[in-house]
Amino acid sequence: MAFCGVMNNSLFQSSLYSHYSSSLLSSSGTTLPVKRQKYCGISAAQGESHTNETNDAVVKTTPRTLQFTGEKPSTPILDTINYPIHMKNLSLEELEKLCDEIREEIVYTVSQTGGHLSSSLGVSELTVALHHVFSTPDDKIIWDVGHQILTGRRSRMHTIRKTFGLAGFPKREESAHDAFGVGHSSTSISAALGMAVARDLLGKKNHVISVIGDGAMTAGQAYEAMNNAGFLDSNLIIVLNDNKQVSLPTATVDGPAPPVGALSKTLTRLQASTKFRILREAAKGITKQMGNKTHEIAAKVDTYVRGMSGKPGSSLFEELGIYYIGPVDGHNIEDLVHIFKKVKEMPTPGPVLIHIITEKGKGYPPAEAASDKMHGVVKFDPRTGKQSKSKPKTLSYTQYFADSLIAEAGKDEKIVAIHAAMGGGTGLNVFHKRFPNRCFDVGIAEQHAVTFAAGLATEGLKPFCAIYSSFLQRGYDQVVHDVDLQKLPVRFMMDRAGLVGADGPTHCGAFDTTFMACLPNMIVMAPSDEAELMHMIATSVAIDDRPSCLRYPRGNGVGVTLPLNNKGTPLEIGKGRILRKGNRVAILGFGTIVQNCLAAADILQEVCGIFVSVADARFCKPLDGDLIKQLVHEHEVLITVEEGSIGGFSAHVSHFLCLNGLLDGNLKWRAMVLPDRYIEHGDQNGQIEEAGLSPKHIAATVLSLVGEGKDTLSFINL
């Protein structure tokens, strides 16, 4: 019979976060025990005659053994599968073995390449069950963020996130099984609903499935999509993967952080209500048969049924018009297959949400025991999980930002910090450790983060809103309307500005200078090194009459001397600096690309005997007009360089040159920016080369303008 209920919290957590002994983790043995558990959420595979609703849970443990030796694992079933269609005739027992083989394969592959580990381990059964029941690419499976090895790409998994290799996220150009390109969270339900409605309009019969995590459900777009789905009533399957942890970037210094907000608490209380589903389907049928006249009556009946049959919290999704099934053991392949088949067979179910419970890192003891669940890893020893982390000579710009903000907050109690489920990624987990009451994780909700920061600013606080450059795009209307229009002093810290390497175009911070510097009240800064970053944070603290922002890249500092105690000195607003004096040619850089400008100057001096001036703009808005005029008057050639898109710093310089008649004479001016296209994932230095912004490219551009007959192409191969 079917059994629907909520897992006992203490039992679930004890099994979910069970820690293996240190002696086991450090053992040189080749076999690690894996605990396989069943719980009484929905055990629908046993039948469906009636539902027994209870809060009790009985956990049964069946020991299984997986091999993590460091050697390529034996995968006899996985070896027979090139595409999902090859899974159709597998038995349940074979499907379970396939899940184990996939886990062994994932650990073996990721141990050699690094990358995301625990999320994939947690959804092995889910992925296998979906592809066993549904038929991609005809049926559409939209992963909110994810990747698969069952769709013809297994032989290339070792190239993932590398130059010319597989993308780190689903990508339509890469596979017909990737129904929608993703990388930013919480978009899958919207895209899936669009596909479902298009299917209906085109008269097709395929199924559309959205897979979304509980962390992604903290974003407003997911609820906007569900609200619309309930209204449109198109057949749509939403799989909610609930693993009680968003991802590594949300972790605090002391360990992982659960999804933010009331949703995570509600999910633990939700139950499948068979009574409600039967009565509500009857109400829908009556409405369709009797027409618009009775729609109001049926709606009232529907509301009454909800109140009568639903327990506290159980109508969260049902109130949106979405059938709820769950919670389901996400590691029980039999139950998953059965439920997916039953939902697939329903003729007109409308939107259905299947709530499954999974464990990040499932099946790999080091990941299960790790505080971050080994979410993102470098190369590691599969036998122990020990990662091969080298200690860099300098810290990341992210860490320098965090250290500097902590130094400023120690002197100014009005400083507060906000991030959108990215505590680790932005460095604010360190700030939170020091100032827990002054750091706010708002969930994956950039729009809310921006306006929340605006509200803090209205009351005299000094909010620092740390959001990746590409993620701030999601909150741009709020930046314009709620912050800049009202001239509120919110400080935007835009991490991952410029090219970001393996994460590719979905996370590339190419556009922030363009979309921030066009705002009338915004001050826009970019540091050339880590010391300048600290000075600009101090400058942001001092700016208290308008909004400001500064952009800084992924990667490490260059090793300059830091301000005492990481406490910077405020800069004069709108003033740059000359770093190197030369003649004939001036290179004006904005941001850390200044380091490439200095390297280009070295090449030109050493190889060609050409001495060029190099200047650090510091500010895109307001521009240092005096500095630009000086460079123009003292040089024949001016080159502006930035690691940003068309329309950014160079566009502002060109506008200034035109308005002041500085292009009316003999000046040769060239702008070096990112090309007007997306640059694919790969090595960060390789991306700079592809973009034409390396020191060699800058030097070659100089030579092409000074007209000394040098073979500029020779510099490309230096």
Side-chain angles (χ1 to χ4, degrees):
M1 69 179 185
F3 179 71
C4 309
V6 175
M7 297 181 303
N8 181 282
N9 245 359
S10 60
L11 286 174
F12 176 67
Q13 290 177 353
S14 64
S15 59
L16 180 61
Y17 297 113
S18 57
H19 289 263
Y20 292 82
S21 67
S22 57
S23 60
L24 172 62
L25 293 180
S26 61
S27 170
S28 60
T30 60
T31 301
L32 296 175
V34 176
K35 295 182 179 180
R36 192 177 186 91
Q37 65 187 28
K38 294 186 69 175
Y39 73 96
C40 298
I42 282 191
S43 185
Q46 300 176 13
E48 53 179 349
S49 58
H50 63 277
T51 299
N52 178 21
E53 297 180 348
T54 180
N55 288 328
D56 296 328
V58 179
V59 179
K60 298 180 180 179
T61 301
T62 304
R64 296 184 65 86
T65 301
L66 299 184
Q67 303 292 324
F68 304 109
T69 65
E71 303 294 328
K72 184 171 177 57
S74 173
T75 53
I77 298 178
L78 183 58
D79 291 344
T80 67
I81 298 169
N82 292 319
Y83 293 97
I85 194 172
H86 300 144
M87 300 167 54
K88 297 300 181 185
N89 295 325
L90 296 182
S91 67
L92 288 174
E93 183 179 358
E94 289 171 326
L95 291 176
E96 286 192 353
K97 291 180 179 178
L98 174 61
C99 293
D100 291 341
E101 292 180 10
I102 288 174
R103 285 194 171 92
E104 292 174 339
E105 177 88 359
I106 289 172
V107 171
Y108 171 74
T109 301
V110 178
S111 71
Q112 296 182 321
T113 64
H116 291 91
L117 176 66
S118 61
S119 296
S120 297
L121 296 174
V123 296
S124 294
E125 287 84 3
L126 170 61
T127 306
V128 167
L130 284 171
H131 281 300
H132 178 71
V133 174
F134 298 99
S135 301
T136 60
D138 292 331
D139 291 331
K140 310 296 181 184
I141 302 177
I142 301 95
W143 294 86
D144 199 77
V145 174
H147 208 280
Q148 305 172 52
I149 66 172
L150 299 172
T151 51
R153 288 170 278 189
R154 181 190 178 196
S155 63
R156 298 185 63 208
M157 286 302 292
H158 67 282
T159 71
I160 193 167
R161 292 162 54 88
K162 297 180 180 179
T163 304
F164 304 120
L166 294 175
F169 307 102
K171 186 177 181 181
R172 284 166 54 84
E173 295 92 336
E174 188 175 284
S175 172
H177 299 275
D178 289 351
F180 196 74
V182 299
H184 294 191
S185 169
S186 315
T187 61
S188 60
I189 302 176
S190 296
L193 180 59
M195 294 179 191
V197 171
R199 170 203 62 205
D200 298 342
L201 292 174
L202 296 172
K204 297 180 179 180
K205 301 297 182 183
N206 61 291
H207 299 275
V208 181
I209 304 98
S210 161
V211 184
I212 187 169
D214 55 334
M217 290 289 283
T218 63
Q221 183 175 353
Y223 292 93
E224 293 169 10
M226 289 191 293
N227 179 57
N228 195 209
F231 173 76
L232 293 174
D233 207 34
S234 290
N235 292 348
L236 170 67
I237 300 170
I238 303 168
V239 179
L240 171 56
N241 177 34
D242 184 357
N243 60 27
K244 300 296 185 297
Q245 184 183 349
V246 187
S247 63
L248 173 64
T250 67
T252 65
V253 173
D254 297 321
V260 173
L263 174 65
S264 58
K265 296 179 181 178
T266 301
L267 289 180
T268 63
R269 299 196 303 266
L270 284 172
Q271 306 207 23
S273 175
T274 303
K275 293 179 290 183
F276 167 76
R277 290 174 56 81
I278 294 173
L279 289 171
R280 182 155 187 248
E281 187 60 37
K284 281 176 59 180
I286 293 172
T287 300
K288 292 176 180 178
Q289 291 178 29
M290 300 180 67
N292 294 335
K293 183 73 175 175
T294 60
H295 180 77
E296 232 178 279
I297 299 173
K300 291 181 180 178
V301 171
D302 189 42
T303 302
Y304 176 70
V305 168
R306 268 196 205 97
M308 182 175 63
S309 63
K311 289 187 176 182
S314 67
S315 61
L316 171 65
F317 300 109
E318 294 164 353
E319 287 286 354
L320 294 172
I322 298 174
Y323 288 147
Y324 173 85
I325 299 174
V328 181
D329 184 352
H331 300 301
N332 187 313
I333 192 74
E334 181 180 4
D335 287 355
L336 290 173
V337 167
H338 178 84
I339 290 171
F340 287 152
K341 283 184 176 179
K342 288 301 180 182
V343 173
K344 179 181 178 181
E345 292 167 0
M346 295 173 66
T348 56
V352 176
L353 185 140
I354 303 171
H355 178 193
I356 71 168
I357 306 295
T358 62
E359 177 185 354
K360 284 183 75 170
K362 177 69 175 178
Y364 184 50
E368 292 177 337
S371 62
D372 64 356
K373 297 294 179 182
M374 294 182 71
H375 173 86
V377 296
V378 297
K379 295 180 181 180
F380 64 93
D381 184 345
R383 295 170 298 177
T384 64
K386 184 178 180 180
Q387 300 183 49
S388 307
K389 293 185 178 180
S390 58
K391 188 174 182 179
K393 295 180 180 179
T394 61
L395 301 177
S396 68
Y397 278 95
T398 299
Q399 186 62 55
Y400 288 122
F401 154 69
D403 292 344
S404 181
L405 189 62
I406 289 172
E408 296 291 341
K411 302 290 186 179
D412 189 340
E413 62 182 15
K414 289 187 176 181
I415 291 176
V416 293
I418 304 101
H419 65 90
M422 295 295 288
T426 62
L428 288 183
N429 56 351
V430 183
F431 184 92
H432 179 271
K433 177 76 172 180
R434 177 75 179 276
F435 305 105
N437 295 325
R438 293 160 62 185
C439 186
F440 303 94
D441 178 356
V442 302
I444 304 176
E446 289 82 4
Q447 291 177 315
H448 167 59
V450 173
T451 306
F452 175 66
L456 292 168
T458 64
E459 298 303 303
L461 295 181
K462 297 181 178 181
F464 279 73
C465 193
I467 300 177
Y468 284 11
S469 168
S470 59
F471 294 168
L472 187 58
Q473 296 162 183
R474 297 159 65 108
Y476 187 61
D477 178 66
Q478 286 69 28
V479 173
V480 177
H481 182 271
D482 298 339
V483 176
D484 195 73
L485 181 61
Q486 302 187 82
K487 213 173 179 180
L488 292 171
V490 175
R491 295 107 177 134
F492 294 100
M493 304 291 107
M494 301 182 296
D495 201 337
R496 282 10 178 228
L499 298 166
V500 293
D503 284 337
T506 60
H507 289 60
C508 178
F511 311 112
D512 53 84
T513 304
T514 300
F515 66 66
M516 295 298 270
C518 68
L519 301 179
N521 294 318
M522 187 69 66
I523 294 175
V524 182
M525 301 173 276
S528 56
D529 56 47
E530 58 268 40
E532 283 286 292
L533 172 62
M534 292 184 172
H535 294 316
M536 288 182 180
I537 291 170
T539 306
S540 297
V541 174
I543 298 171
D544 210 26
D545 62 343
R546 65 191 61 219
S548 61
C549 67
L550 65 91
R551 69 188 317 255
Y552 47 97
R554 178 177 189 168
N556 290 2
V558 297
V560 299
T561 302
L562 298 176
L564 182 64
N565 298 324
N566 299 322
K567 180 77 169 60
T569 302
L571 304 173
E572 183 179 355
I573 303 299
K575 288 298 178 182
R577 57 177 180 159
I578 294 178
L579 301 176
R580 181 177 299 188
K581 290 283 287 187
N583 53 62
R584 296 189 65 189
V585 178
I587 305 174
L588 177 60
F590 180 62
T592 53
I593 199 71
V594 166
Q595 301 302 323
N596 285 10
C597 298
L598 291 169
D602 290 336
I603 292 174
L604 290 166
Q605 181 176 336
E606 294 169 7
V607 179
C608 303
I610 297 175
F611 293 83
V612 302
S613 296
V614 178
D616 175 8
R618 281 179 168 168
F619 293 85
C620 174
K621 190 169 187 178
L623 283 173
D624 188 344
D626 293 336
L627 174 62
I628 294 173
K629 288 179 180 179
Q630 178 184 348
L631 295 176
V632 170
H633 292 148
E634 296 178 358
H635 302 83
E636 302 169 19
V637 175
L638 174 64
I639 299 174
T640 53
V641 189
E642 63 181 304
E643 195 177 331
S645 70
I646 292 172
F649 170 70
S650 294
H652 284 258
V653 172
S654 69
H655 190 62
F656 178 85
L657 294 173
C658 290
L659 287 178
N660 289 273
L662 299 176
L663 293 177
D664 299 345
N666 297 320
L667 177 71
K668 294 180 181 179
W669 169 70
R670 296 292 185 272
M672 299 187 71
V673 302
L674 291 177
D676 194 21
R677 59 181 172 82
Y678 295 103
I679 294 180
E680 296 301 328
H681 60 276
D683 175 73
Q684 206 166 350
N685 291 328
Q687 289 179 324
I688 288 288
E689 291 279 347
E690 183 181 345
L693 294 176
S694 70
K696 294 180 295 182
H697 288 94
I698 298 171
T701 300
V702 170
L703 286 179
S704 72
L705 293 169
V706 296
E708 294 197 356
K710 299 291 184 180
D711 182 4
T712 59
L713 293 179
S714 66
F715 280 90
I716 305 301
N717 298 311
L718 280 177

